[in-house]
Amino acid sequence: MAAMSERAPAKINLTLDVLGRRPDGFHDLRTLMQSVSLCDKLTLTRREQPGLGLTSNLRFLPTDRRNLVHAAAAAFFARSGLTPPGLHLSLEKHIPVGSGMGGGSADAAAALRLLNRFFQAGLSHGDLEALAAQVGSDVPFCVRGGTQLAEGRGERLRPVPPLPACHIVLCKPPFSLSTATVFSRVATTRFTWRPDHDGALRALQEGDLRALSQRLFNVLESLIPHGQREIADIRSVLLDAGALGALMSGSGPTVYGLFSDPDAAHAVHEVLRAQYPETFLVRPLTALPDDGAP
Ligand code: C5P
């Protein structure tokens, strides 16, 4: 059978609130999540050798059991009852690693969708999302995509109206953060300010990009001990260039700005990219790309 591919879009968090610590050690969240057009690409082929092989164009990326793609494949074969034949997955990374844009989760979700399609296993979206929740907190969102309000660990999803059309500049400072490390600081923190979810949801209802941009808020931003200055600097550059709002995504450190003016977005993309190579100009995705990916 010919190779089959699936794109794995990154996400940004438009809001992120931590409501409390759970008995299982995770945190209850409320967060508005949005898929964007920066994508990894996963390609599946058969191979002679039994088992699942994974390779990536990024040499430092673990492709052994630490990679969530393996956990996704294991969950898929356990649920579908299929015996895994010899398979090879090739992962083309574009989403920066450890960036707060959910790259590893996106890859795992793409693996679930791809295996379901390849084997015509007929698992429903709901089935795939349930498997995704076993793999990681952001993976169910990445299976579904678009614009969603996520609660619980991040796995309880409710569709909300899409982010109005806009231009998004993503800029990752030259350091990476571990989600677990950032969350470990929540215990010792009292958040004074929290996102206005009602206001943000109303802005989405009304398709009001400006009002939504004024409500971007992420409580995790105050928990980044090193690199606060760099995050603040990037945000200032974005806002000075005409961003309607700017925020750190997820557990960071990527900062993004939302623009209605394409020229302003292009210009600041060039400026920031000269200093930070991992800078991207992207669009929101209202739905996942319909693969056969190019
Ligand atoms: O679910 P995932 O493996 O992506 O989470 C990575 C880490 O982030 C967890 O081990 C946990 O420390 C933290 N986390 C959390 N609460 C969440 C999601 C993640 O504490 N809702």
Side-chain angles (χ1 to χ4, degrees):
M1 192 183 281
M4 193 180 267
S5 294
E6 182 84 19
R7 272 170 292 183
K11 60 83 183 167
I12 55 172
N13 299 78
L14 302 172
T15 58
L16 197 160
D17 199 3
V18 180
L19 305 180
R21 196 173 145 86
R22 302 154 47 118
D24 63 7
F26 283 82
H27 293 82
D28 274 318
L29 308 180
R30 183 171 295 136
T31 173
L32 274 169
M33 300 175 83
Q34 173 67 53
S35 302
V36 298
S37 58
L38 174 66
C39 295
D40 292 342
K41 186 175 163 188
L42 199 57
T43 301
L44 179 63
T45 47
R46 291 228 191 222
R47 66 172 190 183
E48 296 275 313
Q49 195 188 340
L52 179 73
L54 176 66
T55 53
S56 160
N57 60 326
L58 273 194
R59 265 204 273 149
F60 67 85
L61 189 78
T63 50
D64 58 15
R65 296 275 143 205
R66 287 170 292 172
N67 194 302
L68 290 184
V69 165
H70 283 290
F76 171 81
F77 286 113
R79 171 69 175 77
S80 64
L82 295 163
T83 312
L87 292 176
H88 182 79
L89 280 166
S90 161
L91 177 57
E92 189 183 303
K93 285 297 292 178
H94 298 282
I95 306 169
V97 175
S99 66
M101 292 194 280
S105 302
D107 300 339
L112 290 172
R113 290 195 303 270
L114 184 56
L115 289 166
N116 197 33
R117 202 152 52 88
F118 190 83
F119 290 102
Q120 301 184 348
L123 298 185
S124 68
H125 277 278
D127 293 335
L128 292 181
E129 286 175 25
L131 292 181
Q134 299 170 21
V135 179
S137 305
D138 286 345
V139 186
F141 170 79
C142 295
V143 164
R144 196 186 285 200
T147 315
Q148 308 282 338
L149 179 67
E151 294 181 307
R153 272 171 59 200
E155 85 288 10
R156 281 205 331 258
L157 302 173
R158 174 153 71 87
V160 295
L163 180 66
C166 63
H167 307 269
I168 305 174
V169 177
L170 306 168
C171 179
K172 180 181 170 288
F175 57 93
S176 295
L177 293 171
S178 134
T179 307
T181 308
V182 174
F183 271 102
S184 70
R185 302 205 178 96
V186 169
T188 53
T189 312
R190 271 197 111 75
F191 298 118
T192 318
W193 300 99
R194 321 201 78 119
D196 168 17
H197 273 108
D198 290 343
L201 286 167
R202 208 165 37 244
L204 288 176
Q205 264 329 327
E206 291 167 2
D208 187 340
L209 181 64
R210 190 170 291 273
L212 187 273
S213 300
Q214 286 162 1
R215 287 168 177 80
L216 303 178
F217 195 85
N218 179 353
V219 296
L220 297 181
E221 222 182 80
S222 61
L223 306 184
I224 312 300
H226 310 294
Q228 284 272 10
R229 159 67 66 66
E230 213 147 14
I231 287 169
D233 285 351
I234 294 169
R235 190 213 301 271
S236 300
V237 172
L238 289 164
L239 291 173
D240 289 348
L244 300 175
L247 192 73
M248 185 184 86
S249 180
S251 55
T254 299
V255 184
Y256 66 87
L258 303 184
F259 292 81
S260 54
D261 174 2
D263 295 337
H266 270 104
V268 77
H269 171 241
E270 292 301 315
V271 169
L272 283 170
R273 201 168 49 152
Q275 190 175 353
Y276 302 107
E278 291 181 303
T279 301
F280 306 89
L281 179 56
V282 302
R283 301 286 221 130
L285 294 179
T286 49
L288 289 186
D290 185 18
D291 280 296

